[in-house]
Amino acid sequence: MSFLRTALNSSVIIHPPGFYIVGFESLPSVNVFFIFLAIVYVVTVLFNGLLIIVVVINPSLHTPKFLAVINLAVIDLCFTACSIPGMIKIFLFKDNFVPFNQCLVQMFFYYVFAALESYALMILAYDRLVAICFALRQNSINTVRSMCCIITITWCYILGVTAYSVALITKLSFCSSVKVFSYFCDYAPVYRLACNDNSKQWFAGTFFSYLNLLGPFTFIVLSYVSILVTVFRMKTSDNRRKTLATCAEHIILVAIFYIPFFVIYTMGFYLGPVNPDLRVLSLSMASCLPPCINPVVYSLKTKELKTRALALVRKKGQVVSVNSNRIIVVLRTRK
């Protein structure tokens, strides 16, 4: 195998032509898993696409809350596009080779949208916190402008941090194995293949992973503590029940996204290396399921969105029916 060699800081850095993704080779019932992934991908695109269209074409939904919802939907679409098509390509075409530069690009976008997913859930928790704990000042605190600023800051921060972390991979030499045991060009499995010092990459991967998971998760937990305090101060049980009901869907999304990541990382930290097949399966499911479930559980169950989504679908159905009737009339006229 020929290697690309570049000089950096008076040392030779050896970059291979690419890496082989071998995460699914020993996975049992892999055919069923990939059929499931294909269904998840279609559902994700349809429901998130419908959600984005409904919010964009309805000016009455151009509010801070639905701006946060649109942010989550866009991230869900991009996050899914970064993971599922690549996995399906490996399965269908048996092409598991990823060129070196393409591997870095894949790694960058995957971790950008994985981290943004975490912060998007935090932003939704912030919206709930303001709506419940600061109800009288909600319109002055949580404005469209402030929500745009929060979303922009999180995107800029994640793009910068991820670019720095991925750039560190270019300082590693790979002179032995190029087999990555994961379902994509995963950061940790890649830097562990290096034959020179990878302590910087280990620190960046560990620090930013926990920061981007624990940071938003801690804010979400604290926000719900504040919400519970406010709810239990309410005088009637009916108001308490209605207020908590508005938070139920968001809590489900938080659990679906964070629990698999925390379980795998905790097992790896305290119990040693996790079974590779279990790690690949758990993390791939944790990456693919939340974008599929988010619009169904959270967004499209919201009364405003549900009403307008049904109206849009019915309108499209009426247009198709009218057009088909016109075609029939024209054909009869020609006869």
Side-chain angles (χ1 to χ4, degrees), residues 33 38 43 56-57 112 139 153 159 167 173 190 213 247 251 254 268-269:
F33 178 66
V43 172
V56 169
I57 67 176
V112 161
N139 293 332
I153 290 171
L159 288 170
S173 286
V190 169
L213 286 175
C247 303
I251 294 173
V254 170
F269 186 79

Side-chain angles (χ1 to χ4, degrees), residues 38 64 75 93 107 110 140 163 178 206 226 252 282 292 313-314 324:
I75 293 169
F93 302 104
M107 185 187 298
Y110 178 89
S140 61
V178 289
T206 304
S226 300
I252 293 172
S282 300
C292 175
V313 171
R314 287 169 184 167
S324 63

Side-chain angles (χ1 to χ4, degrees), residues 161-328:
V161 164
T162 310
Y164 169 75
S165 301
V166 173
L168 290 176
I169 297 293
T170 62
K171 298 183 178 182
L172 295 176
S173 286
F174 300 89
C175 45
S176 55
S177 175
V178 289
K179 291 184 177 181
V180 179
F181 205 100
S182 186
Y183 56 99
F184 74 108
C185 276
D186 202 348
Y187 193 82
V190 169
Y191 79 67
R192 286 176 184 145
L193 297 176
C195 51
N196 59 342
D197 180 37
N198 59 17
S199 56
K200 288 183 180 179
Q201 291 74 14
W202 174 86
F203 177 78
T206 304
F207 177 75
F208 289 123
S209 292
Y210 278 101
L211 178 64
N212 294 332
L213 286 175
L214 286 178
F217 182 74
T218 302
F219 178 89
I220 292 170
V221 171
L222 293 177
S223 70
Y224 275 107
V225 171
S226 300
I227 288 172
L228 286 174
V229 171
T230 303
V231 167
F232 285 114
R233 286 178 179 174
M234 293 179 178
K235 296 180 180 180
T236 63
S237 58
D238 189 47
N239 287 339
R240 294 174 189 170
R241 186 172 59 255
K242 288 180 179 179
T243 304
L244 290 174
T246 63
C247 303
E249 290 85 359
H250 181 254
I251 294 173
I252 293 172
L253 299 189
V254 170
I256 292 171
F257 179 76
Y258 284 104
I259 288 176
F261 285 106
F262 285 147
V263 168
I264 292 298
Y265 288 134
T266 303
M267 288 174 62
F269 186 79
Y270 289 104
L271 304 178
V274 181
N275 180 279
D277 287 334
L278 177 62
R279 181 182 183 277
V280 169
L281 182 61
S282 300
L283 293 182
S284 62
M285 293 289 283
S287 302
C288 301
L289 283 182
C292 175
I293 296 172
N294 287 350
V296 180
V297 172
Y298 185 78
S299 303
L300 294 178
K301 285 189 71 176
T302 306
K303 185 177 179 180
E304 302 98 319
L305 278 173
K306 192 175 182 179
T307 302
R308 285 166 175 78
L310 289 174
L312 178 64
V313 171
R314 287 169 184 167
K315 183 179 179 181
K316 292 293 182 182
Q318 290 173 358
V319 170
V320 171
S321 177
V322 170
N323 288 338
S324 63
N325 290 335
R326 287 178 180 175
I327 292 172
I328 292 172

